[in-house]
Structures are given as C-alpha cells and as structure tokens.
Amino acid sequence: MTGRHNILPLVPADIDTYRQPVVYMREDCHVCRSEGFTTQTRVEIEVEDKRIIATLNVITGGDWLPPETAALSNTAWEALALQTGAVGRFSHPEQPASASAIRTKVYGGRLDNAACRAIISDTIQRRLSDLDLAAFVTSCAGDRMDEAETIALTLAMRDAGARLDWGKGPVLDKHCVGGLPGNRTTPIVVAIVAAAGHLIPKTSSRAITSPAGTADTMEVMAPVALDQAAMRSVVEAEGGCIVWGRRLDLSPADDMLIRIERPLDFDSEGQMVASILSKKAAAGSSHVLIDMPVGSTAKVRTEAAAKTLADRLQAVAAALGQKLSIHRSDGSAPVGCGIGPALEAHDVLAVLRRSPQAPADLRERALDVAGALLDLVGSNGRQWAGELLDDGKAEAKFMAVCTAQGGFTEPGKAPQIQPIKATHAGQITAIDNRRIAKIAKLAGAPGRKTSGVLLHARVGDTVEIGQPLFEVHAESQGELAWALEYAASGDSPFRVEDAP
C-alpha cells in the first residue's frame, strides 16, 4: 500500500507487555478508520527495513497519547530498535504460514518437521497472536503429542535461536523437572562439577509458578543477566557458570510458549520435553542429568507418569545426540529450610561452607545429582562429589564463579518475620508442597528477594503445641498479612497426627 494515509509517528508507551508486541492508537486516529483496525486487530508495522506484527489496543479516552500518533509497548519498540522521531507504516499482515498447521493439530492431525519449524519461526517473528499460540498449546496438551512430534518440535526450537559451541570434550548440564520447593541443588552441583575439572555452562530460568527459580536464587549472590560473551568468559576462566538464559537467545520460542502456558496451566509432556532439551542442546550440552522428583504434590505425581516422561526424554535426547540420565528422587516434601530466593541462597551457602546447621537433605540431594552427573563421564561420581564438597574445593569454585560473574553478595534477610506454630501435638506425616509454595509466593517471593518461608520442622519430626512449624518472611506488612491470612485458611500445609 502506498501513500501517507497509513503512516504515523511512533512514541514509546513505556508499558511492559512481556514479549508481546502491542501498539496503541486513539479510536479517532485516521489510520484506524482508513484501515478498519479495531481492538485486538493484528497490525503489521514497517520502519525502514524492519517489520513486526503487533496487537492493537484502542485508546477510548484520556489525553496521554497525542492525536495521530501510535505508541508501542517496550517489546515492540525494542524489536524495531527505534529512536526518537521514528515513523511507521501500518497495514494488515498476511496470514501466518503456520496457521494451517495449527488448525490441523487442533482437529487431531499430526505435526511434521516442516509444520513445527513453521510454527516456531512464526512464533519468534511474532506473526502468531496469543490466540493462535493458545490454540497450539491447547492442541498439544496432555498426551496429544507423540514421540516423533516431540522430536520435531525440539529440533525446531533448538535451531531457531543461537547455539553455543564449547569445542571438544564433554559439556555437562542438569535440569530439575520441578514442583519441589527449596530443591535448589544447581549452585552446589555446578560448583562440584566445575571443581572436578569439567565444563558445566549452566543456563537457568526465573520462577514461572514457583517461589524461586535458580536464576532468582543465584541473583541474590551474583549477577546472572550475562550476555554470550560474558558467559563464555566466565566458563573459560572457571569451567562453569549459573546465568539467566533469557539474554542468551537460546531456544527463544520457549519463553514465548511458556508465557501462554502459564495462565492456561496445561500440562503437556511433549512441550515440557521440548522446552528442556531444546535449551540444553542450544547451550551445547552433551551429557545431561534430569532430576525428577516424584510425589503426590510435586509436578510428577506417580511412578507411572515418571516412567512415561523418562522414556520420552531419553528418546528425544537420543535424537539430539545427547547422553542423558534420569535421577528419580523423593518429591513428597520440600527440600532444605528456605523457600524463596534469599532463604534458598542461605541454604546453598550453608551446604557449600559445610556449616553444622546446613540442611542435610539438600546436601545429600546435591551430592546425589552431582555424583550421577559425574558418573556420565566416569565412575565413583558420588564419592568424588563428596570429597570436593568436604575439602572446600566446591566452595572455592563457587566463590570464583560468583567473582567472575560480577562479584559475590551475601544474601539479606526480610524485615518482617512471623512464626506459624503447631496447634496440636503429634508427628508430622506430610507437608503439602503446593500450599507451602503458595504461602511463600503470597509473602512476595520471588519478586521480593528476601521473602518466603523458612521451615522449622520436617516430615517425621514430633512437635508440641506452640512449637514453630515455619516462619513467614516478608518485606512489607501487607504481603505478610496476605500470606498469614492464607496460611490460616483451610488445611495447614503440615499434617500432624498423633504420634504412634
């Protein structure tokens, strides 16, 4: 389309829409009228040699947006790399090439390699709307993706972004399937494996639905938002790192799909496997250990589900040329004492520093995982891991990694702390992972770094009336009140039964 009737000056809206490009126009804008744009219309924006597709939000009142001007969300502004004074040409985009593939999947068809690559390409180019992506995620939910489709999707996701190459030799990595609060073994495992002389360039995510992700916990001790050059410098110097994966452009479609999956709360085994292994492959990992906690309130709830997921992971890893091992662990209760970024960091440091107060279960889990990972490239991994932790080499390596990433900071402590006490005596027979995690999130975790829950009792302990079961840590009185209100409602996350 030619002429100037579809051209508008552009300004930043300064609105974070989390990876979704959004454009804002007034309802009386001439471009809205001439092009027939309405709210939620998909709009192509062209600026010089760059193009994006954004979702339109129509402004019906107020004067924050000048007449005959379009405002762009942070994601849209950054995608076009705009400067002050930019102008854009607006038009209706062509239908995405992958739309027919998504429709086929919705109606029960299968996705081949070409279809998966088209979907992922259109996803990272932002040619698919949130409704398109929701349809795709929904059509793959449950067991609706077979093994071949999972492999095709994983390869497409791996190849869509940057790929790291570390040269010769094994490159080790680990991932926890999740669902177990406080299971923060990664910093300890990376320290042990790097101290053993192996490469372990660990990329980690922030929390999606949990009170803390590995990147959240590591960030209270050292910077994690490193780019590829900085990450490579750390790994070349120390053999390992623990960095946030978002700035590295590894399997970029994964974050976009997770943004859709989060509110839908769908559990797709195929997409979970593709998410995990596409990032491991893009990061250059050759030997991967998957920690799979199994428990009634963990993400993987039964042994049957664990076997099905393990089989799928093994098949896809084989297709990627990776050597993969599954480490099944007890997922019946939280790990360690702290739940929340700073509280988990205190636990990690206690283990690395060999403190007498260090959580024994976190130490043993970390040694189990590190040992199993070392076994992929040798033998007697568990014994070696224990020696490296006990003689202080793992602690020294962790501090060296923190220094290389920008400097170590001792974790802080929340100003608001309230204990929750046992209302009757007996033995603790269970702790609800999901309920205790929700209390930590209501207290402010992971956004408030020092907020969360500190456990004082564990499964198997005998408690008396009035004995503290856990503490709620918060950075404000309001967040503390929300968490305490939820903790007092319904069933306690601690099941206390009469002692035998």
Side-chain angles (χ1 to χ4, degrees), residues 324-346:
L324 181 140
S325 178
I326 305 291
H327 173 70
R328 295 192 197 179
S329 56
D330 180 9
S332 62
V335 179
C337 300
I339 301 170
L343 292 166
E344 294 177 18
H346 283 296

Side-chain angles (χ1 to χ4, degrees), residues 90-151:
F90 294 82
S91 61
H92 290 275
E94 296 180 2
Q95 186 179 37
S98 63
S100 61
I102 293 175
R103 189 175 298 108
T104 296
K105 186 61 181 171
V106 167
Y107 283 99
R110 295 184 66 259
L111 300 172
D112 58 16
N113 290 337
C116 286
R117 290 186 180 276
I119 291 169
I120 295 304
S121 176
D122 283 344
T123 297
I124 62 175
Q125 292 179 40
R126 299 180 174 88
R127 300 189 66 85
L128 293 170
S129 69
D130 281 1
L131 290 176
D132 294 324
L133 292 175
F136 172 59
V137 168
T138 304
S139 68
C140 298
D143 59 356
R144 295 184 182 93
M145 285 191 76
D146 63 25
E147 184 178 294
E149 289 177 301
T150 305
I151 292 172

Side-chain angles (χ1 to χ4, degrees), residues 59-74:
I59 308 302
T60 59
D63 57 3
W64 72 271
L65 183 63
E68 305 304 330
T69 303
L72 301 185
S73 68
N74 295 353

Side-chain angles (χ1 to χ4, degrees), residues 212-422:
T214 297
D216 300 307
T217 297
M218 185 64 185
E219 192 172 44
V220 304
M221 297 181 283
V224 296
L226 278 60
D227 59 20
Q228 282 194 34
M231 174 189 178
R232 186 172 291 277
S233 176
V234 173
V235 175
E236 288 175 351
E238 301 299 339
C241 67
I242 307 164
V243 301
W244 183 33
R246 183 170 174 179
R247 291 194 64 189
L248 303 174
D249 195 35
L250 305 177
S251 187
D254 185 45
D255 286 340
M256 299 179 182
L257 292 175
I258 286 173
R259 180 177 63 84
I260 300 299
E261 292 167 351
R262 183 185 299 156
L264 290 175
D265 197 24
F266 284 153
D267 185 13
S268 170
E269 180 180 284
Q271 287 185 340
M272 181 195 299
V273 171
S275 171
I276 295 169
L277 294 185
S278 65
K279 285 196 170 180
K280 298 306 178 192
S285 304
S286 60
H287 294 66
V288 180
L289 189 286
I290 302 294
D291 181 17
M292 190 183 298
V294 182
S296 60
T297 57
K299 184 173 290 186
V300 181
R301 302 186 189 183
T302 67
E303 287 296 331
K307 183 180 185 308
T308 300
L309 179 57
D311 290 344
R312 182 75 62 96
L313 284 162
Q314 290 284 11
V316 176
L320 293 170
Q322 294 173 325
K323 187 173 182 179
L324 181 140
S325 178
I326 305 291
H327 173 70
R328 295 192 197 179
S329 56
D330 180 9
S332 62
V335 179
C337 300
I339 301 170
L343 292 166
E344 294 177 18
H346 283 296
D347 281 355
V348 166
L349 291 171
V351 172
L352 287 169
R353 291 166 173 169
R354 290 92 66 211
S355 167
Q357 286 75 44
D361 58 345
L362 179 61
R363 170 191 161 86
E364 293 307 306
R365 280 178 178 269
L367 289 175
D368 287 344
V369 172
L373 188 51
L374 290 172
D375 282 341
L376 284 173
V377 290
S379 59
N380 298 320
R382 183 59 161 74
Q383 179 180 341
W384 193 10
E387 292 170 356
L388 291 167
L389 182 61
D390 290 340
D391 66 12
K393 290 179 181 176
E395 180 193 359
K397 176 58 69 176
F398 180 76
M399 290 301 174
V401 168
C402 289
T403 299
Q405 288 188 198
F408 173 76
T409 300
E410 198 73 33
K413 190 173 182 179
Q416 307 290 334
I417 301 175
Q418 179 67 49
I420 303 297
K421 301 177 180 180

